[in-house]
Amino acid sequence: MSTFAPEWLSLREKADAEARALDLVDRLRKIVVNRTPLVVRDLGCGTGSLGRWLAGRLGGPQHWVLHDRDPRLLSIAAATVSGVTIETHEGDVTGLTGADLAGTSLVTASALLDLLTAREVDGLAGACVAAGCPALFTLSVVGRVEFDPAEPLDADFAAAFNAHQRRVVDGRRLLGPDGVDVAVAAFERHGAGVTTSPSPWRLGPEQAALAGEWLRGWVAAAVEQEPGLAAEAPAYVRRKLDHGPHVVVGHTDLLAVPR
């Protein structure tokens, strides 16, 4: 699983907050209202942006268990997720079992599913259902990118980027944009009800720094996957930056509730 620079996570936090699906949080509040204190496990917590966004919306006393493999990110999250009690766990989250999640009221994660394998997602789904706790996975990429204005090369770069997300890393076939579909099937197979809701980034001039950083990373990954795009990449990026860029980056949020 990848680690991310705190600067990137900070840059995207506002767009993440604006994109997350409030309808799923409304539904979640009704499910956990009588669980007090709430025990929330945030998998791959990064700097804690999901905790900062979600804790106040859930209300009531809460204890957050923050999981990440990067000690720098864990220390930032522990210091900045406020209004709740905190504990941290450094390490991989893919081996969690139902026994590990015993006593957990809610499992959360943000931008995680694309970094997992089908087997790892199935394991997490089984663990959540075995522990009887709902799971909220937010901001999972779905492989859709819409530029304004559009151009024919958009499809070539998008296809290459999506293939890059599905690459094999250390023997693990990453799910990339297939993460949501695989997670829905896994949770349903283990006996949970699943609801999804779109949570796209809508980036324009007011998010120019994020849009530019995202675009350069998106194009670089596409070129790594398809080196034949390298000759087109510099002019392509310049054209997009000259127009803002204006782009919608597709994500989906998922709420799974054991039956």
Side-chain angles (χ1 to χ4, degrees):
M1 292 170 59
S2 301
T3 58
F4 297 94
E7 295 80 8
W8 164 248
L9 298 177
S10 176
L11 186 61
R12 64 175 288 171
E13 183 163 351
K14 183 175 184 292
D16 286 351
E18 292 172 348
R20 288 191 175 99
L22 288 170
D23 58 319
L24 296 189
V25 177
D26 291 340
R27 182 178 301 221
L28 178 61
R29 268 199 306 268
K30 297 173 185 176
I31 295 167
V32 301
V33 64
N34 293 321
R35 305 185 188 192
T36 183
L38 281 178
V39 177
V40 183
R41 287 186 180 266
D42 190 14
L43 310 184
C45 67
T47 62
S49 65
L50 180 56
R52 288 188 289 276
W53 182 84
L54 183 59
R57 288 173 169 81
L58 293 177
Q62 298 168 45
H63 179 71
W64 280 66
V65 184
L66 306 177
H67 293 257
D68 206 284
R69 64 184 305 169
D70 188 332
R72 294 180 308 157
L73 302 183
L74 275 175
S75 65
I76 295 170
T80 57
V81 178
S82 60
V84 301
T85 58
I86 296 288
E87 67 179 276
T88 61
H89 287 269
E90 181 183 340
D92 194 351
V93 300
T94 58
L96 292 173
T97 66
D100 295 326
L101 300 181
T104 301
S105 311
L106 170 65
V107 167
T108 65
S110 186
L112 178 66
L113 291 177
D114 61 296
L115 302 175
L116 303 180
T117 68
R119 183 176 181 178
E120 290 161 357
V121 168
D122 186 74
L124 284 176
C128 290
V129 173
C133 63
L136 178 67
F137 288 87
T138 71
L139 296 170
S140 297
V141 295
V142 291
R144 293 192 297 272
V145 174
E146 301 172 10
F147 288 100
D148 182 18
E151 61 175 283
L153 273 175
D154 296 345
D156 296 331
F157 278 96
F161 177 82
N162 290 340
H164 183 269
Q165 281 216 306
R166 296 183 177 107
R167 70 195 183 278
V168 176
V169 178
D170 296 330
R172 299 167 59 249
R173 170 72 67 179
L174 306 184
L175 287 171
D178 304 318
V180 171
D181 289 342
V182 170
V184 169
F187 275 105
E188 290 180 341
R189 186 167 54 251
H190 284 282
V194 183
T195 306
T196 62
S197 189
S199 53
W201 277 354
R202 301 182 185 277
L203 306 182
E206 64 277 13
Q207 300 98 358
L210 172 61
E213 190 70 14
W214 168 83
L215 174 66
R216 287 183 284 268
W218 186 76
V219 167
V223 169
E224 182 178 318
Q225 182 69 26
E226 294 291 346
L229 292 171
E232 301 279 2
Y236 179 80
V237 170
R238 282 197 300 273
R239 287 195 300 275
K240 296 302 184 189
L241 293 178
D242 286 345
H243 288 288
H246 294 264
V247 61
V248 178
V249 182
H251 302 98
T252 293
D253 288 5
L254 177 156
L255 175 64
V257 182
R259 293 191 177 94

